[in-house]
Amino acid sequence: MSETNPAAEQAAPHRYTAAMAADIEARWQDFWDAHGTYEAPNPTGDLAGDPAVAARPKKFIMDMFPYPSGAGLHVGHPLGYIATDVYARHQRMTGHNVLHTLGFDAFGLPAEQYAVQTGTHPRTSTEANMANMRIQLRRLGLGHDKRRSFATIDPSYYKWTQWIFLKIFDSWYDEQAAKARPIAELVAQFESGERPVPGEGRTWQGLTAAERADLLGEYRLAYASDAPVNWCPGLGTVLANEEVTAEGRSERGNFPVFKAKLRQWNMRITAYADRLLDDLDALDWPEAIKLQQRNWIGRSEGARVDFAVGEDDAITVFTTRQDTLFGATYMVLAPEHELVEKIVPAAWPEGTHQVWTGGHATPADAVGAYRKQAASKSDVERQAEAKDKTGVFTGAYAVNPVSGERVPVFIADYVLMGYGTGAIMAVPAHDSRDFAFARAFELPMRCVVQPTDGRSTDPAEWDDAFSSYDAELVNSTHGDITLDGLGVVDAKARITAWLAERGIGEGTVNFRLRDWLFSRQRYWGEPFPIVYDEDGIAHPLPESMLPLELPEVDDYSPRTFDPDDADTQPETPLSRNEDWVDVTLDLGDGPKKYRRETNTMPNWAGSCWYELRYLDPHNDTALVDPEIERYWMGPREGQPHGGVDLYVGGAEHAVLHLLYARFWSKVLFDLGYVSSAEPFHKLFNQGMIQAFVYRDARGIAVPAAEVEERDGAYFFQGEKVSRVLGKMGKSLKNAVTPDEICAEYGADTLRLYEMAMGPLDVSRPWDTRAVVGQFRLLQRLWRNIVDEATGETTVVDAEPDEETLRALHKAVDGVSQDMAAMRFNTAIAKVTELNNHLTKAGGALPRTVAERLVLLVAPLAPHIAEELWRKLGHTESLVHRDFPVADPAFVVDETVTCVVQIKGKVKARLEVAPSITDAELEALALADEGVVAALGGAGIRKVIVRAPKLVNIVPA
Ligand code: ANZ
């Protein structure tokens, strides 16, 4: 405990102690709430009447909002919240209109799992968790505009999540205009014949309702399809690609994930692949995150090439090396490829190699057995760089379009159905995977790119493929076409043109990004505002029927299965609710029977647009007022796509939340609902607070708080334990809560400690014993301004001395720069240095120095700062006071004496900054009164300057 010495307390009843901190902090938190201190005015209403406020630049500062977990917060969670708060406070004090608030991301799996375990409704437990977290957060003194806080589970919020879904459902991507447009405009094109209806002789007027729905489904940005999806029996739900780990398991729960064909809702995020890539350039995000998004989107330039197979079929491949077409000596289809059945002959062709058949009697047997084996592997396992490539011959041959050669067609699991066309031309001489496969299956190889590393041109002598781009083509001539002698780039261009002329290929861009699977078979999510008529056609609910609230049910548990049983089918909790599911509605054409969609949205939906709702949280006629949106989010200089000015959160959201939110922003932008095409202009990833994990001999974590240290070793209940740095959390028994630290030292100390631990983007180990250091800083600060015996301030109305002014302005200058650049650890170091200087100098502080010192610490330790400010005689909060501004005259470190000579004789001495430039020094010297007098109007022939110490003037 910090201060429990009763004698000391008696002697100094007004010392800054934990008890006093608790008192001060509670009082100021109440004051701020009562006065709405952190309420940010909007450009309409609040701001409209006050031009002075309206003229202020805005700063919209956001944290990635928390998930209200039952475990509450540990000290690692608020790191980012404290940082944005310090930053926001500094911005407020430098003349910005700051919007800073925090809501809750409250739908999702953990709440549901917890509810199932404990038998409480997810809403009940989620709300209890939020109430608890609100108390924890309030104690930290975060300057949030509480009027703007909400949770994604509030019907008044998810009404608009559903509304956005409907807008996405109701639009299509116009490739020509490169933007989303209302689906009605597409229908008009079909109706007028401006856009032909695909299919011989078909017209829009001639289509049935179901055919129209199917056709529009091909275009809608939200659409249902029967694509293969990630089915996770252990969770009882399907998952998005982004939710599946590199090991092919569920990110949550670590269960196996299988490919299954199920009818599901998808979002056509792929339509935005180019824009999602291009617009990254203008964002102020960490390069690492941009790179992860670029890789996830995965743009590849290449070509599609048709290889004739059978009577009149063609296998279309996607290749990024169309220049190596002459080297394509076999082909591979993904095992699931739809052409496989069609091309498989009844019997093996004469003389088929034993290794190619896998020992099966017929191609159909071989293919059937191999497909089964491939289905049990994840995409990642299939793509692993292992040299032992597996596969089997289909019995069919295709024709290489440029050489006319017959090439055998295999199926192999290293080719994925979900990428490119699910088929490749294999060029074993120049692709490592193909090389390994060709070796295993004794397939021919042809070198078509001249090796530049000294190896021979006979691939039979190689250990691996030669895959350089920086080389010339060889062995690539047939009939009228030759690529020989061309570099890779030119060869690509020539062959692509040749293929295009013949209608058997074209240049194309392929993306790795897939559409976003948007249905979940869970209870605790937003219901889809979609109903199906008796023909199974999907209809959007009209806006007037929103929000479609989650029905109260008794059984909200998902149906989960044996995690390893791929042959299971999801069952949605909502489907058990007949009364809710089967409804009679009037959707404009009289009452009819409908069946509701029983899937729910993924928990990413609510976080796709929440920044917009902070702006105008109580609007019930629009998701956000356009004028308000433009003010806080609109494009401006340096922020061409607009967006939040600062968004702080963990790096783990690189491709999930951050990609989805960007996509929704772009759709809303295209449809004209918002002026910002990007949600977050600046992104900052805070580091993690780590903690020591102590384990006993069996490797089981023991409570960290009860471990003792003796001579560099660690003991728990007398038994020696090991220590490693790990994550902080309940399961590792090393969680420290902010509440404990607040109780022991106060929130201001906790804030200072977290900010002082190191640069914000770096992970750092928590050390409870070190927290007291920041508490002592606050005690010294207090003592510099307050008499511990009387509680009165000790400041005097005197002019500070030169040395104090220098120390003060240097600190102000440094802290200002550090605050703006979010270097809070060095800002604290500078405050500490100043405070120590003042302590050492002794004597009463001049009021002007004390006031500036208090303002300087205010963003970091707001409660004690407010209290000191009050003691200094101010009756209003300092939250909106101006941050001190440094006087440059006092900021220079020290000065050096410069001698100014005329014809070698010293005529003046100047005190200058050591960093002065030659030009500045020359100007200063020539303007010096003494020098002007000594020159007596004579012209100057030459000036020799040796900054900072010497100027020698030679008169004419
Ligand atoms: C012939 C070739 C020759 C290729 C060569 C590469 C090197 P990125 O860059 O990732 O887009 N490929 C195409 N579709 C595939 C699929 N569904 N599963 C597995 N591999 C597939 O990779 C594109 C290259 O990956 C394509 O170019 C194709 O192999 C392969 F010397 O075609 B290449």
Side-chain angles (χ1 to χ4, degrees), residues 300 318-321 324 383 414-417 419-420 422-425 427 430-431 433-434 510:
S300 292
F318 169 70
T319 175
T320 47
R321 291 298 302 270
T324 62
Q383 290 251 292
Y414 79 96
V415 173
L416 303 177
M417 197 53 227
Y419 190 72
I424 66 158
M425 62 179 218
V427 185
H430 305 293
D431 179 277
R433 292 163 304 175
D434 299 344
N510 190 61

Coordinates of all heavy atoms in Angstrom, one line a residue, residues 300 318-321 324 383 414-417 419-420 422-425 427 430-431 433-434 510, ligand 1:
S300 N -3.5 -10.1 -59.2 CA -2.5 -10.7 -60.1 C -2.9 -10.4 -61.5 O -4.0 -10.7 -61.9 CB -2.5 -12.2 -59.9 OG -2.0 -12.6 -58.7
F318 N -6.1 -19.9 -65.6 CA -5.6 -18.6 -65.3 C -4.1 -18.8 -65.0 O -3.7 -19.6 -64.2 CB -6.3 -18.0 -64.0 CG -5.6 -16.8 -63.6 CD1 -5.6 -15.6 -64.3 CD2 -4.8 -16.8 -62.4 CE1 -4.9 -14.5 -63.9 CE2 -4.1 -15.6 -62.0 CZ -4.2 -14.5 -62.8
T319 N -3.3 -17.9 -65.7 CA -1.9 -18.0 -65.5 C -1.3 -16.6 -65.4 O -1.8 -15.7 -66.0 CB -1.2 -18.7 -66.7 OG1 0.2 -18.7 -66.5 CG2 -1.6 -18.2 -68.0
T320 N -0.3 -16.5 -64.6 CA 0.4 -15.2 -64.6 C 1.7 -15.3 -65.5 O 2.4 -14.3 -65.6 CB 0.9 -14.8 -63.1 OG1 1.5 -16.0 -62.6 CG2 -0.3 -14.4 -62.3
R321 N 1.9 -16.4 -66.1 CA 3.0 -16.6 -66.9 C 2.6 -17.2 -68.3 O 3.1 -18.2 -68.7 CB 4.0 -17.6 -66.2 CG 4.7 -17.0 -65.0 CD 5.6 -15.8 -65.3 NE 6.7 -16.0 -66.2 CZ 7.9 -16.4 -65.9 NH1 8.2 -16.7 -64.7 NH2 8.8 -16.5 -66.9
T324 N 5.1 -18.5 -70.8 CA 5.7 -19.9 -70.8 C 4.7 -20.9 -71.4 O 4.9 -22.1 -71.2 CB 6.0 -20.3 -69.3 OG1 4.7 -20.4 -68.6 CG2 6.9 -19.4 -68.6
Q383 N -2.2 -26.3 -50.0 CA -1.2 -25.4 -50.7 C 0.1 -25.5 -50.0 O 1.1 -24.9 -50.5 CB -1.7 -24.0 -50.6 CG -2.9 -23.7 -51.5 CD -2.6 -22.9 -52.6 OE1 -2.3 -21.7 -52.5 NE2 -2.6 -23.4 -53.8
Y414 N -3.2 -29.5 -55.2 CA -2.5 -28.2 -55.1 C -3.2 -27.2 -55.9 O -2.8 -26.0 -55.8 CB -1.0 -28.4 -55.3 CG -0.5 -28.5 -56.7 CD1 0.0 -27.4 -57.4 CD2 -0.5 -29.8 -57.4 CE1 0.5 -27.5 -58.7 CE2 0.1 -29.9 -58.7 CZ 0.5 -28.8 -59.4 OH 1.0 -28.9 -60.6
V415 N -4.1 -27.6 -56.7 CA -4.9 -26.5 -57.5 C -6.2 -26.4 -56.7 O -6.9 -27.4 -56.5 CB -5.1 -27.0 -58.9 CG1 -6.0 -26.0 -59.6 CG2 -3.7 -27.0 -59.6
L416 N -6.5 -25.1 -56.4 CA -7.7 -24.9 -55.6 C -8.9 -24.4 -56.5 O -8.7 -23.7 -57.5 CB -7.4 -23.7 -54.6 CG -6.3 -23.9 -53.7 CD1 -6.1 -22.7 -52.8 CD2 -6.6 -25.2 -52.8
M417 N -10.1 -24.8 -56.1 CA -11.2 -24.5 -56.9 C -11.5 -23.0 -56.8 O -12.0 -22.3 -57.7 CB -12.4 -25.3 -56.4 CG -13.6 -25.3 -57.4 SD -13.1 -25.8 -59.0 CE -13.9 -24.6 -60.0
Y419 N -9.7 -20.4 -56.7 CA -8.8 -19.3 -57.2 C -8.7 -19.4 -58.7 O -8.7 -20.5 -59.3 CB -7.4 -19.6 -56.6 CG -6.5 -18.4 -56.9 CD1 -6.7 -17.2 -56.2 CD2 -5.5 -18.5 -57.8 CE1 -5.9 -16.1 -56.5 CE2 -4.7 -17.4 -58.1 CZ -4.8 -16.2 -57.4 OH -4.1 -15.2 -57.7
G420 N -8.7 -18.2 -59.3 CA -8.6 -18.2 -60.8 C -9.8 -18.9 -61.4 O -10.9 -18.7 -61.1
G422 N -9.7 -22.4 -61.3 CA -9.7 -23.8 -60.7 C -9.0 -24.7 -61.6 O -9.1 -25.9 -61.5
A423 N -8.2 -24.2 -62.6 CA -7.5 -25.0 -63.5 C -6.2 -24.4 -63.9 O -6.1 -23.1 -64.0 CB -8.3 -25.3 -64.8
I424 N -5.1 -25.1 -64.1 CA -3.9 -24.5 -64.5 C -3.2 -25.2 -65.7 O -3.5 -26.4 -65.9 CB -2.8 -24.5 -63.3 CG1 -2.4 -25.9 -62.9 CG2 -3.4 -23.8 -62.1 CD1 -1.1 -26.0 -62.2
M425 N -2.4 -24.5 -66.4 CA -1.5 -25.1 -67.3 C -0.2 -25.3 -66.5 O 0.2 -24.4 -65.8 CB -1.3 -24.2 -68.5 CG -0.6 -22.9 -68.2 SD -0.4 -21.9 -69.7 CE 1.2 -21.1 -69.4
V427 N 3.7 -25.7 -66.0 CA 4.9 -25.5 -66.6 C 6.1 -25.9 -65.7 O 6.6 -25.1 -65.0 CB 5.1 -24.0 -67.0 CG1 6.3 -23.7 -67.8 CG2 3.8 -23.5 -67.7
H430 N 9.4 -24.1 -65.0 CA 9.5 -22.8 -64.5 C 8.6 -22.5 -63.3 O 8.4 -21.3 -62.9 CB 9.2 -21.8 -65.6 CG 10.2 -22.0 -66.8 ND1 11.5 -21.8 -66.7 CD2 10.0 -22.5 -68.0 CE1 12.1 -22.1 -67.8 NE2 11.2 -22.6 -68.6
D431 N 8.0 -23.5 -62.8 CA 7.2 -23.3 -61.6 C 7.5 -24.5 -60.6 O 7.4 -25.7 -61.0 CB 5.7 -23.4 -61.9 CG 4.8 -23.2 -60.7 OD1 4.6 -24.2 -60.0 OD2 4.4 -22.1 -60.4
R433 N 6.1 -25.8 -57.9 CA 5.1 -26.8 -57.6 C 4.9 -27.8 -58.7 O 4.8 -29.0 -58.5 CB 3.8 -26.1 -57.3 CG 3.8 -25.3 -56.0 CD 2.7 -24.3 -55.9 NE 2.6 -23.5 -57.1 CZ 1.7 -22.6 -57.3 NH1 0.7 -22.5 -56.5 NH2 1.7 -21.8 -58.4
D434 N 4.9 -27.2 -59.9 CA 4.7 -28.1 -61.1 C 5.9 -29.0 -61.3 O 5.8 -30.1 -61.7 CB 4.5 -27.3 -62.4 CG 3.2 -26.4 -62.3 OD1 2.4 -26.7 -61.4 OD2 3.1 -25.4 -63.1
N510 N -6.7 -11.1 -61.9 CA -7.4 -12.0 -60.9 C -7.1 -11.5 -59.5 O -6.1 -11.0 -59.2 CB -6.8 -13.4 -61.1 CG -7.6 -14.5 -60.4 OD1 -8.8 -14.6 -60.6 ND2 -6.9 -15.1 -59.4
Ligands
ANZ1 C1 1.6 -21.2 -65.5 C2 2.8 -20.8 -64.7 C3 4.1 -20.9 -65.1 C4 2.4 -20.2 -63.5 C5 5.0 -20.4 -64.2 C6 3.4 -19.8 -62.6 C7 4.7 -19.9 -63.0 P1 -0.7 -15.8 -58.3 O1 0.5 -15.0 -58.6 O2 -0.8 -16.1 -56.8 O3 -1.9 -15.2 -58.9 N1 -2.6 -21.0 -60.3 C8 -3.6 -20.5 -61.0 N2 -4.8 -20.9 -60.5 C9 -4.5 -21.7 -59.5 C10 -5.3 -22.5 -58.6 N3 -6.6 -22.4 -58.7 N4 -4.7 -23.2 -57.6 C11 -3.3 -23.2 -57.6 N5 -2.5 -22.6 -58.4 C12 -3.1 -21.8 -59.4 O4 -0.5 -17.2 -59.0 C13 -0.9 -17.5 -60.3 C14 -0.3 -18.7 -60.7 O5 -0.7 -19.8 -59.8 C15 -0.7 -19.1 -62.1 O6 0.3 -18.9 -63.1 C16 -0.9 -20.6 -62.0 O7 0.4 -21.1 -62.4 C17 -1.1 -20.9 -60.5 F1 6.3 -20.5 -64.6 O8 0.5 -20.7 -64.7 B1 0.9 -20.2 -63.4

